[in-house]
Amino acid sequence: MAPKKVFIHSPELDLYPYPPECPFNTSRAGRTHGIAKSMGLLAGADRSVISAPPAERNVLEMYHTADYLDALASAPERQIDQRLFDMGLGTMDCPVFPGVYEANALACGGTVKGAQLIADREATVVFHPAGGLHHAFPDRAAGFCYMNDIVLACMVLADAGRRVLFLDVDVHHTDGVQEAFYAREDVLTISMHESGRTLFPGTGFEGDIGVGSGEGYTVNLPFPADTYDDIYLEAFMEVVVPLVEAFEPDVLVVEAGADALAGDPLAHLCLTNNVYVDIIEALLAAGKPMLVTGGGGYNIENTVRAWALLWSCLCGDRGHDDMMAGMGGVMLGSTDWHGGLRDRLLAPSPETREVVAADVGAMVEKVKQNVFPRHGL
């Protein structure tokens, strides 16, 4: 049987919600699964839906320290002290709550399972919307992330002898993943994010390109506020596409956080989900296996619609635009937008277009000067 496109969904995640005051809403993955199922996007001989068990302790310790994992597991039964606080636990971004360890181990298990399916050639496309916890460090939680499933998945693939290209289009810089592979050349890390000058975590600038044998294998594209579809896609085509061709990866890993979309309450970019489709279709054209996760996305309705559209695109459902026009609002229970899964187009003002285009153009040139020569470009 030919390798399939796999949607990974673990309903058990709903048992461990983040506190209601925390913007990170774990229901997004389940809602994405529900919308995809309602629209018939999970049916077909070429695709399947599976659940995945939590990541085992030995897998988690490929990246995370034993002391940190012990502290995270016991934190809900303990009073927050300075030691836990130094590990990023008990903060506004990373609250301690019942099941915090179990929820993150499940999220990691899904993404690692996806990597194993690709490494074993049992799948060519895997989508895990509950993944994408890219801010977690070996011994510290940050930015709603307690365990780093992306790092673990890339490690599994690299250990299997695969050259990995990781592209992060979440609006926040992929700081945890960058640190993990900053001195390595078998994992090329590319982050397209809102500039650290205006957004957490305040890192990821053009000059951050790796060290030692990893120099040139970390690529950062920091975008100014108000970045719009056309200029974002232009930067992707000018930087990412040539690097994919030059690096010749065996596997593509993508974090598709939806917080770069217009209307997200925690960021300042003005993208629509149409640009995500353009990016995924360009990556699919490379003909490489692809593991895609979710990530950020704090306008829940927009995020769910974007991820359902993303899955449709990954499956090659070319008719999704015509078939679903008018269905999106009904299926999503939305009274705001009835145009299907795709967002309405957003046109920047002439003034915004001029300012943003100049900033992005200068940024792209810096990135190319810093990185391209190291890849023969």
Side-chain angles (χ1 to χ4, degrees):
M1 183 178 293
K4 290 186 176 181
K5 302 169 180 69
V6 178
F7 189 113
I8 296 181
H9 172 58
S10 298
E12 298 87 351
L13 270 174
D14 292 334
L15 301 174
Y16 310 111
Y18 283 47
E21 64 272 14
C22 182
F24 195 88
N25 189 320
T26 55
S27 73
R28 300 169 307 159
R31 289 185 60 186
T32 301
H33 173 266
I35 295 301
K37 183 177 181 180
S38 297
M39 290 186 165
L41 300 176
L42 301 177
D46 66 334
R47 62 198 75 174
S48 62
V49 180
I50 67 169
S51 60
E56 298 284 352
R57 177 66 180 246
N58 64 313
V59 173
L60 296 174
E61 286 187 9
M62 291 172 61
Y63 179 60
H64 294 288
T65 67
D67 284 348
Y68 171 69
L69 293 173
D70 288 342
L72 181 61
S74 64
E77 286 76 45
R78 295 172 53 185
Q79 184 173 359
I80 300 298
D81 56 21
Q82 188 61 46
R83 181 169 178 269
L84 291 181
F85 199 76
D86 290 344
M87 292 180 173
L89 302 173
T91 66
M92 291 183 64
D93 280 359
C94 295
V96 170
F97 57 92
V100 61
Y101 182 98
E102 290 80 3
N104 282 268
L106 269 170
C108 287
T111 307
V112 168
K113 177 65 174 179
Q116 291 169 336
L117 289 172
I118 288 176
D120 294 339
R121 295 182 170 83
E122 295 179 13
T124 53
V125 168
V126 178
F127 181 41
H128 182 224
L133 307 174
H134 60 171
H135 293 308
F137 290 87
D139 56 359
R140 178 167 57 88
F144 313 135
C145 304
Y146 303 78
M147 301 176 186
N148 202 313
D149 61 307
I150 295 291
V151 169
L152 294 170
C154 289
M155 285 180 167
V156 166
L157 289 164
D159 288 349
R162 306 297 198 275
R163 286 169 63 81
V164 180
L165 187 145
F166 171 57
L167 172 66
D168 195 325
V169 296
D170 189 284
V171 80
H172 299 94
H173 175 236
T174 189
D175 53 347
V177 183
Q178 173 176 295
E179 179 177 285
F181 301 110
Y182 206 58
R184 291 175 58 164
E185 58 184 338
D186 54 342
V187 178
L188 174 58
T189 300
I190 306 175
S191 183
M192 301 176 68
H193 53 270
E194 182 177 338
S195 173
R197 294 182 177 87
T198 55
L199 193 67
F200 173 90
T203 54
F205 297 101
E206 299 96 324
D208 301 327
I209 63 170
V211 295
S213 61
E215 189 172 291
Y217 292 87
T218 290
V219 184
N220 285 295
L221 287 84
F223 289 86
D226 299 323
T227 291
Y228 50 90
D229 283 4
D230 292 351
I231 197 65
Y232 188 89
L233 184 61
E234 184 177 318
F236 168 82
M237 297 301 294
E238 283 196 40
V239 175
V240 179
V241 171
L243 286 172
V244 171
E245 295 172 351
F247 183 66
E248 296 183 329
D250 300 308
V251 182
L252 299 171
V253 179
V254 180
E255 171 152 345
D259 42 6
L261 299 178
D264 192 274
L266 300 188
H268 315 97
L269 300 192
C270 293
L271 305 183
T272 73
N273 64 28
N274 302 290
V275 77
Y276 283 29
V277 171
D278 293 336
I279 286 173
I280 290 298
E281 289 185 341
L283 295 176
L284 287 170
K288 307 294 182 181
M290 194 183 313
L291 169 60
V292 182
T293 72
Y298 306 99
N299 181 316
I300 307 304
E301 203 167 86
N302 288 352
T303 298
V304 170
R305 187 171 66 247
W307 287 350
L309 176 64
L310 192 64
W311 169 248
S312 175
C313 179
L314 287 167
C315 290
D317 290 335
R318 304 297 304 177
H320 57 242
D321 292 334
D322 294 335
M323 178 181 70
M324 295 168 195
M327 292 177 63
V330 175
M331 295 293 184
L332 289 160
S334 167
T335 58
D336 176 60
W337 177 233
H338 293 270
L341 293 177
R342 280 186 179 260
D343 289 338
R344 58 168 64 89
L345 299 177
L346 297 176
S349 69
E351 295 79 12
T352 296
R353 182 179 292 274
E354 181 179 358
V355 171
V356 171
D359 286 350
V360 173
M363 177 268 289
V364 166
E365 287 307 310
K366 288 180 184 177
V367 172
K368 290 165 70 172
Q369 290 170 12
N370 289 338
V371 173
F372 274 23
R374 291 168 171 81
H375 296 274
L377 295 169

